[in-house]
Amino acid sequence: MPTALSILDLASVAPGATARDSFAGSVALARAAERGGYQRVWYAEHHNMRSIASSATSVLIGHVAAQTETIRLGAGGIMLPNHSPLVIAEQFGTLETLFPGRIDLGLGRAPGSDQKTMRALRRDPHSADSFPQDVLELQGYLSGNSRIPGVEAVPRAEGVVPLYILGSSLFGAQLAAHLGLPYAFASHFAPDALHQAIEMYRDNFRPSDQLEQPYVMAGVNVFAAETHEEAIAQKTVSYRARARMMISRGAGTPAFTDEEIDAFLASPNGAQLSAMTRYTAAGTPEEVRSHLDEFARAIGADELVTVHHATDIADRVRSVDLTATAMLADHSTA
């Protein structure tokens, strides 16, 4: 078993539901993670996506933290080129002050949106180029060692806000290794460079004040249910909805039937979309455990970040519960 099991909560807004419903679901999911022994729950910064409600990531973290007790919560991640490092340091310094010892900060350099939204965010098209420098500037603010004379982040928490580098390419692996930070690979939707990136990270890792040895985290999709058939049905509904969202072109997009979506996913273009969720565990708790164990061994993961995609929040929470029980049972008899 990996040394830790965590969750990425996409704060999904189900068809016919509201953002308020999504936030209530996020609280329920975090409470399930807390009682199940998960290490942390993360939320990702996405913009202009009606089906994802975590755009104001730090606000959602604070909301969930106020309604849980011990689970670590954080960003997986904040898209740093969208923001001033000072503002993010202030936000997460505030969160760590309010909820000491429970806040993580994962950082990515993608826009978390499309080109039009990127412009609406006032993001410079070349802002990603300064990502390494922005990470160092942010790290300085959080540690009280500002790189900008006369400027400090207030409040600065007494405790440490650990940083994580997120990525789906070799760039993130190189940066995480160079800075001596944990590395989280987005294999739940961008699996192609997983093995090469992890190898590069481990081979080039430099110890830092935060971390002495490489620490690898990897995303994996999960649908756990009491029966295999139920889990596969949840997976089918969820991935059809995902395909509809990915091929949507606005208000004029046709209302594709399930049969049309299935035919698209079987086509060359659709097969490429399907390959994005290559790392998916779907089935009974025992089947999910077997899949997760094999995945973790194949890459030597220190931590698996599970993404539970069932459309109904009750099914999602049940998947979290069943996965935790299966993995803990496996660990206790190992």
Side-chain angles (χ1 to χ4, degrees), residues 1-2 5 285 288-290 292-293 304 322-332:
M1 178 183 173
L5 195 65
V288 166
R289 181 188 67 203
S290 177
L292 294 183
D293 280 346
L304 294 184
L322 292 173
T323 301
T325 300
M327 296 300 285
L328 288 173
D330 184 53
H331 179 61
S332 64

Side-chain angles (χ1 to χ4, degrees), residues 249-270:
R249 294 179 176 85
T253 301
F256 296 109
T257 65
D258 288 346
E259 291 74 16
E260 289 171 328
I261 291 295
D262 291 344
F264 169 74
L265 291 173
S267 71
N269 288 338

Side-chain angles (χ1 to χ4, degrees), residues 311-328:
T311 301
D312 187 90
I313 184 59
D315 291 336
R316 216 178 305 153
V317 169
R318 187 62 178 149
S319 181
V320 167
D321 286 337
L322 292 173
T323 301
T325 300
M327 296 300 285
L328 288 173

Side-chain angles (χ1 to χ4, degrees), residues 17-265:
T18 66
R20 182 183 290 270
D21 297 328
S22 172
F23 297 148
S26 289
V27 171
L29 202 72
R31 287 174 173 169
E34 192 167 69
R35 67 175 174 261
Y38 287 78
Q39 180 76 7
R40 68 190 90 244
V41 180
W42 280 358
Y43 308 91
E45 177 188 346
H46 291 283
H47 299 281
N48 196 29
M49 296 184 183
R50 292 185 179 182
S51 61
I52 298 178
S54 53
S55 56
T57 315
S58 60
V59 178
L60 180 56
I61 292 169
H63 172 69
V64 177
Q67 300 186 67
T68 51
E69 299 294 333
T70 58
I71 189 78
R72 294 193 66 88
L73 301 163
I78 290 292
M79 301 299 105
L80 191 55
N82 290 344
H83 310 277
S84 154
L86 176 61
V87 169
I88 297 304
E90 290 169 342
Q91 291 177 5
F92 280 79
T94 299
L95 286 168
E96 175 63 26
T97 299
L98 291 170
F99 308 102
R102 297 181 57 198
I103 302 300
D104 299 330
L105 178 49
L107 302 168
R109 65 172 183 146
S113 61
D114 55 30
Q115 294 296 315
K116 290 181 179 179
T117 309
M118 187 176 74
R119 289 194 293 271
L121 287 165
R122 305 295 192 268
R123 174 171 169 163
D124 186 295
H126 303 291
S127 55
D129 296 342
S130 63
F131 181 63
Q133 292 74 31
D134 288 346
V135 172
L136 291 172
E137 182 180 338
L138 173 59
Q139 192 175 46
Y141 291 135
L142 290 171
S143 64
N145 299 297
S146 175
R147 290 172 171 255
I148 310 298
V151 178
E152 59 180 318
V154 180
R156 185 175 74 83
E158 294 182 4
V160 174
V161 179
L163 298 183
Y164 300 76
I165 298 297
L166 280 58
S168 58
S169 69
L170 303 185
F171 178 89
Q174 291 174 317
L175 181 62
H178 179 75
L179 298 179
L181 296 175
Y183 180 52
F185 192 90
S187 38
H188 60 292
F189 76 91
D192 290 347
L194 172 64
H195 293 271
Q196 187 179 2
I198 289 177
E199 182 179 4
M200 176 175 287
Y201 169 66
R202 287 201 176 99
D203 288 347
N204 295 280
F205 181 83
R206 302 178 182 178
S208 67
D209 290 341
Q210 179 176 329
L211 195 64
E212 293 185 358
Q213 300 290 334
Y215 192 86
V216 171
M217 305 166 71
V220 57
N221 305 293
V222 176
F223 298 86
E226 275 79 3
T227 68
H228 176 84
E229 292 74 18
E230 185 180 358
I232 297 303
Q234 291 175 12
K235 173 186 170 183
T236 300
V237 170
S238 176
Y239 284 177
R240 280 174 179 163
R242 180 177 180 273
R244 285 190 177 94
M245 181 188 71
M246 297 287 283
I247 64 178
S248 174
R249 294 179 176 85
T253 301
F256 296 109
T257 65
D258 288 346
E259 291 74 16
E260 289 171 328
I261 291 295
D262 291 344
F264 169 74
L265 291 173

Side-chain angles (χ1 to χ4, degrees), residues 277-313:
T277 53
R278 179 188 315 158
Y279 296 120
T280 296
T284 64
E286 293 75 16
E287 290 171 327
V288 166
R289 181 188 67 203
S290 177
H291 185 106
L292 294 183
D293 280 346
E294 181 180 351
F295 177 66
R297 282 194 297 268
I299 60 175
D302 298 292
E303 184 170 333
L304 294 184
V305 184
T306 59
V307 191
H308 299 261
H309 286 290
T311 301
D312 187 90
I313 184 59

